Amino acid sequence: MAGRGLEGVVAAQTALSHVYGDEGRLIYRGYQIQDLADQVTFEETCHLLWFGELPNQSQLDKLKQQLNREAAVDPRVFDSLRAVGRTAHPMTLLLAGVAEVAALDPDAEDMTPEANLRKAIRLTAQTLTLTAGIARIQAGQVPITPEANTSLAENFLYTMRGAGADELSVRIIDVALTLHAEHGMNASTFAARVAAGTLTDLHSAIIAAMATLKGPLHGGANEQVMEMLEEIGSAERADAWVRSALERGEKVMGFGHRIYRTTDPRAPILKALAEQLNQQNGQKSEWLQVSEKIQATMREEMDRKGKKVYPNVDFFSASVYSTLGIPRRLFTNIFACARMAGWTAHILEQYADNRLIRPQSEYTGPPERPVPSRASRS
């Protein structure tokens, strides 16, 4: 019998990534996440996930050209989102936007490997443009067309802000995209592979993944971390707030992970980037100060209780994004933009050796019984 939530069940074989939960390690196709974050770009990470190897310069140039060429979104999509989107959650609008670009995609119903790869490239570029456009629509501004000959991270900041970004801000977004690009058989990836297993089209499988990511127990957790930071308000209040929350049996958002039994290897990478950003700005952001105080109090409390609970990637992504001026409600969208590379890679892998994913369920209802007459039913 499977554990609750299919815990411990191997649902698929993959060559894409592996999470070593007990050791706090994450690899993409054999490469440690720390090395990828330090040494390669998000575009190179996409190539690694889609093609199996890091690109040489010629391969990288070709992929960047493809991504730049596909990044623009049909203005009709933004017209539609503008009509309904001033108050809706950005992830709801992103779901709607992906459904619309699917309807306009020239390869929409083409299930050949070549067409599916083109769709993967197109979606990865377009989702960033959609997210930036959604941010501008909700701010009462007009979406901006991406620039040519630049990186996905730089274009994202440009199309969201309407102005160029400094080198460190671009690097932070690029690393954040790499850190979130892939993470084993998580809930949204499983949803994508279940959908792809029916041989539905790639866009539809992605929508299944995005809908799953939207949940607060998955991609929505980073928003909840920011809500917690805003509620606490200052580093001086953090210690008492954390201890009071723990006494009430409440969860402190951004701590613990379903797989990791030690530090999430992505968390310290984001914290280091946050510290670099603060050094550049000449002062420590209030959100990083609050985060560090929460982390210190949690460490003290967990040590006292003999528990091992560590920050996860959501904990520091919240303060980093906020310091960059990204609205809180956009955090899950950025997660989706990054994970688009991993989701599409999993879908391509599923298509290449497909079998319908059809698990069993354990029945816990009443035994067989006769249908009572209507008059005798209480």
Side-chain angles (χ1 to χ4, degrees), residues 100-370:
E100 290 203 41
V101 299
L104 298 169
D105 194 296
D107 293 313
E109 299 302 325
D110 188 340
M111 291 292 287
T112 62
E114 296 79 11
N116 282 325
L117 178 59
R118 290 194 297 270
K119 285 183 279 189
I121 292 170
R122 195 173 293 132
L123 259 178
T124 301
Q126 288 179 328
T127 308
L128 285 157
T129 306
L130 278 168
T131 291
I134 288 165
R136 293 185 66 81
I137 286 170
Q138 295 202 316
Q141 300 169 326
V142 177
I144 295 174
T145 301
E147 292 188 318
N149 303 317
T150 188
S151 71
L152 291 174
E154 187 172 0
N155 242 340
F156 171 70
L157 290 173
Y158 167 70
T159 51
M160 183 180 67
R161 296 173 172 177
D166 63 272
E167 185 177 340
L168 179 57
S169 295
V170 172
R171 167 154 173 74
I172 288 172
I173 291 297
D174 187 84
V175 172
L177 292 173
T178 295
L179 294 178
H180 288 88
E182 167 59 8
H183 204 248
M185 193 56 66
N186 55 83
S188 56
T189 297
F190 181 58
R193 292 194 74 134
V194 170
T198 70
L199 294 184
T200 191
D201 64 279
L202 186 139
H203 285 88
S204 295
I206 286 298
I207 289 171
M210 290 171 59
T212 307
L213 185 77
K214 187 174 182 288
L217 294 184
H218 192 6
N222 51 19
E223 287 186 60
Q224 292 190 319
V225 172
M226 197 63 225
E227 289 175 7
M228 176 183 71
L229 298 180
E230 291 172 349
E231 181 180 339
I232 294 171
S234 68
E236 291 74 22
R237 297 187 64 238
D239 185 89
W241 190 97
V242 170
R243 296 183 197 278
S244 177
L246 292 174
E247 287 176 4
R248 295 192 302 270
E250 296 177 2
K251 180 176 175 60
V252 178
M253 296 307 300
F255 284 81
H257 195 277
R258 180 72 174 265
I259 303 298
Y260 292 115
R261 297 296 176 259
T262 183
T263 301
D264 181 336
R266 302 165 296 176
I269 298 171
L270 276 176
K271 184 181 180 184
L273 290 172
E275 291 169 345
Q276 290 180 40
L277 186 61
N278 287 313
Q279 289 172 8
Q280 176 175 280
N281 294 339
Q283 62 180 9
K284 184 173 291 189
S285 79
E286 60 179 327
W287 302 127
L288 184 58
Q289 293 180 57
V290 176
S291 298
E292 289 179 338
K293 188 60 179 177
I294 293 171
Q295 184 181 17
T297 304
M298 281 293 291
R299 184 186 303 116
E300 183 180 318
E301 283 292 300
M302 293 304 103
D303 286 346
R304 184 176 64 83
K305 296 178 179 181
K307 296 182 177 180
K308 297 184 181 299
V309 180
Y310 302 91
N312 56 44
V313 70
D314 296 315
F315 185 66
F316 287 109
S317 65
S319 56
V320 168
Y321 294 158
S322 183
T323 302
L324 287 173
I326 298 172
R328 166 168 51 84
R329 297 213 312 166
L330 216 64
F331 292 178
T332 309
N333 288 52
I334 297 174
F335 195 157
C337 292
R339 190 57 58 82
M340 192 62 64
W343 286 334
T344 52
H346 272 277
I347 293 168
L348 296 176
E349 192 176 56
Q350 182 71 34
Y351 286 155
D353 185 25
N354 188 56
R355 181 173 175 80
L356 181 69
I357 299 173
R358 176 60 169 87
Q360 299 291 321
S361 61
E362 181 185 7
Y363 178 66
T364 60
E368 290 188 40
R369 49 185 173 168

